[in-house]
Amino acid sequence: MSESVLLRDHRAGVLTLTFNRPDKLNAFNDELTQELLSALGDAERDPAVRVVVLRGAGRGFSAGQDLEAFVRLKTSPTPISVAEHLRKSYNRVVISIRSMEKPVIASLGGIAAGVGLSIALCCDLRVAGDDAVLTLGFSKIGLIPDGGGSLMLPLLAGLGRGLELAWTSDRIDAREAHRIGLVNKVVAAADLESDTHAFARRFVEVSPIAIGLTKRAFNRAILPGFAGWLEEEADLQEEAAAGPDLMEGVRAFMEKRKPAFAGR
Ligand code: T3D
């Protein structure tokens, strides 16, 4: 029997969910997305779960949408639109993260790219190993940051820095991510798992009432339109995906060559 694409480990009030597609740099296919959604729902309902940690198996957190799976979705006899796909997958994941009144912490080791990075940015807190590399990656395939990335990136890093990272898809290391406010702390890569668990345990000690209502207060103060913005973001992504640039970008990535964008 093949191993699950999402591993669950519940210890001392901390539920760790591990994306487990290491041979694909934990890129998201529909199976992983649905497993994650289901695990987040269970975590929200289970009072024994006080903190949730998201991490990736192997040498990365996640490389974002699985581009091979994406090509299959786009070229199937009944293709679903990009906006539709976002609404039934990533938007539900990040709404679940933001609305759960418990801390959700991303533990970033190795690469975090595309919607993998967006999901991490939608978490409450981020711990990075000193081997972490963050890149938006969307612009390289003609897309905009989705999964809440177009909101959380400028909120955390500021407008100018956010736009620069989104437009260039430059890779930044853990220290730079910490300097510009994208991660809360940087630890030695070898200690990432244990240090994240110890950090998560600190929130198990705090009153769950204070934890939950503080998150609700911050959400209402700073992100009151989060779900509505995701709808608009999905529509913009649909516009970006309407022309040939998206498939040219994806094919160029898979063929390991530079894309020749038509500008549409
Ligand atoms: O409808 C919708 O839902 C649209 C929503 C889209 C949301 C998105 O996330 S769009 C963005 C998708 N992600 C990307 O564009 C990132 C693509 N990957 C990369 O840019 C690089 O691979 C990384 C920066 C992530 C890592 O670079 P590096 O040099 O460390 O590794 P690599 O050699 O490029 O990749 C290693 C392998 O993973 C390689 O396969 P191979 O050659 O060893 O067989 C590569 O093809 C594969 N891989 C990496 N990313 C993906 C992937 N396979 C499928 N999907 C991926 N996203």
Side-chain angles (χ1 to χ4, degrees), residues 4-8 15-19 28-43 52-55 61-62 89-90 92-94 96-97 100 104 115-116 119-120 123:
S4 170
V5 293
L6 185 78
L7 307 178
R8 303 183 188 205
L15 174 71
T16 299
L17 301 175
T18 301
F19 310 143
F28 279 88
N29 59 7
D30 284 349
E31 187 188 0
L32 177 53
T33 310
Q34 293 310 316
E35 288 273 325
L36 178 58
L37 266 172
S38 157
L40 290 169
D42 292 345
V52 177
V53 170
L54 302 183
R55 64 182 291 276
F61 178 76
S62 170
S89 57
Y90 306 117
R92 291 177 62 202
V93 167
V94 296
S96 177
I97 290 170
M100 183 184 324
V104 184
V115 79
I119 289 171
C123 289

Side-chain angles (χ1 to χ4, degrees), residues 78-107:
T78 51
I80 96 166
S81 78
V82 165
E84 221 181 318
H85 188 239
L86 288 173
R87 288 184 174 116
K88 79 180 201 28
S89 57
Y90 306 117
N91 289 3
R92 291 177 62 202
V93 167
V94 296
I95 285 172
S96 177
I97 290 170
R98 293 272 13 111
S99 60
M100 183 184 324
E101 293 190 348
K102 304 178 181 189
V104 184
I105 303 175
S107 181

Side-chain angles (χ1 to χ4, degrees), residues 21-25 27-28 59 62-70 73-74 80-86 89-90 111-116 118 133 135-138 140-141 143-144 146-147 171 237 246 250 253-254 256:
R21 303 187 72 222
D23 52 326
K24 299 281 178 192
L25 285 178
F28 279 88
R59 72 172 185 93
S62 170
Q65 166 67 40
D66 183 322
L67 293 175
E68 285 172 30
F70 180 76
L73 278 176
K74 286 288 279 183
I80 96 166
S81 78
V82 165
E84 221 181 318
H85 188 239
L86 288 173
S89 57
Y90 306 117
I111 199 85
V115 79
S118 299
V133 175
T135 172
L136 272 300
F138 297 92
K140 290 193 167 171
I141 55 172
L143 292 181
I144 69 161
D146 59 23
R171 297 180 185 211
Q237 194 69 297
L246 168 60
V250 171
F253 171 74
M254 292 193 321
K256 301 186 193 296

Side-chain angles (χ1 to χ4, degrees), residues 163-178:
L163 277 174
E164 184 184 340
L165 289 173
W167 281 336
T168 60
S169 289
D170 278 352
R171 297 180 185 211
I172 58 168
D173 63 19
R175 304 260 165 230
E176 176 66 359
H178 185 244

Side-chain angles (χ1 to χ4, degrees), residues 180-234:
I180 65 173
L182 290 185
V183 303
N184 294 72
K185 57 198 266 172
V186 180
V187 302
D191 301 327
L192 178 61
E193 207 173 338
S194 56
D195 283 2
T196 305
H197 195 267
F199 188 50
R201 281 280 309 155
R202 292 189 58 189
F203 306 106
V204 176
E205 315 290 325
V206 180
S207 152
I209 304 292
I211 292 274
L213 290 181
T214 302
K215 182 162 170 179
R216 194 189 303 176
F218 280 31
N219 275 340
R220 289 195 184 164
I222 304 294
L223 296 165
F226 185 68
W229 174 249
L230 293 176
E231 288 292 311
E232 288 196 46
E233 188 187 68

